[in-house]
Amino acid sequence: MADSCIAGFAEELDDLAKEYESMKELHKKYKEKLEEVQSMQKKCATLVGHQKKRYKEIGDGIKEKSQGLSGEEKAKCNELKKLVEDRKKNCSEVLDTLPRSNNFFLSTTLGPVSVSILSKKDRFAYKEEYEQFKLYLSIIMLVGATINTFFIKNRICDACYHFLLVWYYCTLVIRESILRHNGSRIKGWWVVHHYLTVLLTSILLIWPDSVSYRMFRNQFMLFSLYLSVVQLMQYYYQSGCLYRLRALGEKSDMYITVEGFQNWMWRGLTFLLPFLFVAYTWQFYNAYSLYQISKHPECNEWMVPIASLIFFCLFLGNLITTSGVILNKLKAKQSTTSSPKNKGS
Ligand code: COA
């Protein structure tokens, strides 16, 4: 009985032998190609580096020599300048598809592992996953803040909620650094904002259950609840932008026109901005309330003035950055509508 079983296994192994050999052959080819790709990446990086350096030198030279020129010579210089700019842009596009070394934060946090995402499609997919992560966490935070505001008033539950916030903002800092490494235009302030929020939520986590804590607790939970709702609106706006930008990037016939994208963006912003400015006012109010609490005779905790200062920094940074973003968008809108190319489109 045992003998026939073993013979059966041997037969099965014999059957698999051919497939095993072809798998080994394929894997060998795969390793060779991988080595080839890596050596091509290195060669490309060296060539692009050299090209970029030379275009910078040539561009500077043309700029210097074109001063004081006029007529045909000036026109020739402008033509050359345009050529240099086009080539530089193409070099940047090539660089986008090559692995880059991590910046200081990423290399100290993740080590020397490469986080370069080499295809546009994968970059969109990573950004989409990041937006979805924020959506799910905003929903969880909304539920947590609702429970803590209206149903359970317990320091341990509060601590669990604060811990969730610390973890969430830490992951955002890492994810956003990866996004920025891969060409996302996320403003530096939003990353700083998340560092400050990690600090703030850590302070809330270790703040003892004292008079000062209880004076601020309900206000903070209500603020968190409101912020979670605003984050859901932000998700709707950001994922809408992402969807439309992807369509613009992928479709050659551009069925969504740039103008169509702009219209959608402005509608989204007009809806979102009042809610954002209410959140900033509330941040200012939190800073003010904490400052008042810090002067209370029974307040001995160092956390109170520090939290007040952080809320104030968040308020100021958010207000300045968001206003700057809107002003830049308005300027860009004006310049596109006044450019002759777009008139009548
Ligand atoms: N967090 C993370 N990424 C952000 C961001 C934010 N707060 N604001 C913008 N970005 C990203 C965009 O997704 C875009 O990424 P991409 O280059 O990968 O496509 C990039 O930064 C450039 O975006 P930009 O054109 O400057 O702005 P926008 O139109 O995408 O968004 C606002 C404009 C005002 C809606 C947005 O900046 C925002 O939501 N700001 C408020 C955030 C805030 O205040 N949070 C705290 C609440 S108290």
Side-chain angles (χ1 to χ4, degrees), residues 147-187:
I147 294 173
N148 283 337
T149 309
F150 300 111
F151 303 105
I152 302 173
K153 293 200 165 121
N154 175 301
R155 185 65 185 91
I156 295 174
C157 289
D158 288 5
C160 292
Y161 183 71
H162 295 144
F163 181 74
L164 175 73
L165 293 183
V166 174
W167 174 79
Y168 171 64
Y169 284 105
C170 282
T171 51
L172 280 196
V173 167
I174 298 172
R175 280 168 183 254
E176 282 166 8
S177 299
I178 294 176
L179 282 167
R180 275 163 64 95
H181 178 79
N182 286 291
S184 173
R185 298 153 302 132
I186 299 175
K187 300 253 174 317

Side-chain angles (χ1 to χ4, degrees), residues 127 130-131 134 176 183-187 190 193-194 223 227 234 237-238 241 245 265 269 272-273 276 279-280 283 318 322 325-326 329:
K127 180 83 196 258
Y130 155 83
E131 291 297 343
K134 290 208 293 188
E176 282 166 8
S184 173
R185 298 153 302 132
I186 299 175
K187 300 253 174 317
W190 301 124
H193 173 278
H194 295 143
F223 171 71
L227 209 58
Q234 269 174 280
Y237 170 80
Q238 293 291 4
C241 282
L245 282 176
M265 185 190 80
L269 279 177
L272 185 59
L273 283 175
L276 282 175
Y280 302 160
Q283 280 176 331
N318 285 344
T322 303
V325 167
I326 303 305
K329 282 183 189 289

Side-chain angles (χ1 to χ4, degrees), residues 42-251:
K42 272 189 196 148
K43 275 186 203 154
C44 262
T46 316
L47 280 176
V48 173
H50 178 252
Q51 289 266 317
K52 280 188 85 169
K53 193 172 155 244
R54 291 290 296 127
Y55 291 134
K56 191 177 175 321
E57 285 166 3
I58 295 169
D60 288 348
I62 297 174
K63 208 170 154 188
E64 209 181 287
K65 295 278 178 242
S66 69
Q67 278 165 1
L69 291 182
S70 59
E72 210 174 293
E73 281 179 322
K74 178 95 184 164
K76 182 84 189 146
C77 273
N78 285 343
E79 221 173 86
L80 289 177
K81 259 192 223 169
K82 196 178 169 302
L83 185 66
V84 168
E85 284 312 312
D86 284 350
R87 294 234 185 130
K88 270 190 190 168
K89 208 171 137 217
N90 289 342
C91 284
S92 301
E93 276 170 21
V94 173
L95 265 184
D96 277 351
T97 61
L98 296 173
R100 279 141 297 187
S101 47
N102 291 349
N103 61 22
F104 178 74
F105 173 74
L106 283 173
S107 54
T108 46
T109 312
L110 304 175
V113 63
S114 172
V115 290
S116 301
I117 305 172
L118 303 183
S119 85
K120 219 173 175 177
K121 200 172 154 217
D122 290 343
R123 260 179 251 152
F124 271 122
Y126 187 71
K127 180 83 196 258
E128 208 165 65
E129 201 276 332
Y130 155 83
E131 291 297 343
Q132 254 169 26
F133 170 77
K134 290 208 293 188
L135 168 73
Y136 296 143
L137 264 292
S138 298
I139 295 170
I140 295 172
M141 287 186 304
L142 180 65
V143 173
T146 310
I147 294 173
N148 283 337
T149 309
F150 300 111
F151 303 105
I152 302 173
K153 293 200 165 121
N154 175 301
R155 185 65 185 91
I156 295 174
C157 289
D158 288 5
C160 292
Y161 183 71
H162 295 144
F163 181 74
L164 175 73
L165 293 183
V166 174
W167 174 79
Y168 171 64
Y169 284 105
C170 282
T171 51
L172 280 196
V173 167
I174 298 172
R175 280 168 183 254
E176 282 166 8
S177 299
I178 294 176
L179 282 167
R180 275 163 64 95
H181 178 79
N182 286 291
S184 173
R185 298 153 302 132
I186 299 175
K187 300 253 174 317
W189 166 253
W190 301 124
V191 182
V192 174
H193 173 278
H194 295 143
Y195 276 116
L196 285 175
T197 315
V198 170
L199 190 63
L200 178 68
T201 45
S202 309
I203 287 174
L204 290 170
L205 181 65
I206 57 169
W207 191 345
D209 193 6
S210 54
V211 174
S212 59
Y213 179 79
R214 268 171 260 138
M215 284 168 87
F216 184 62
R217 186 231 176 241
N218 282 357
Q219 183 174 326
F220 177 75
M221 286 301 168
L222 263 179
F223 171 71
S224 298
L225 207 161
Y226 177 76
L227 209 58
S228 306
V229 176
V230 176
Q231 277 168 358
L232 292 181
M233 294 178 195
Q234 269 174 280
Y235 167 78
Y236 175 72
Y237 170 80
Q238 293 291 4
S239 60
C241 282
L242 190 65
Y243 167 77
R244 282 162 180 82
L245 282 176
R246 190 170 55 187
L248 278 171
E250 283 179 2
K251 297 260 171 181

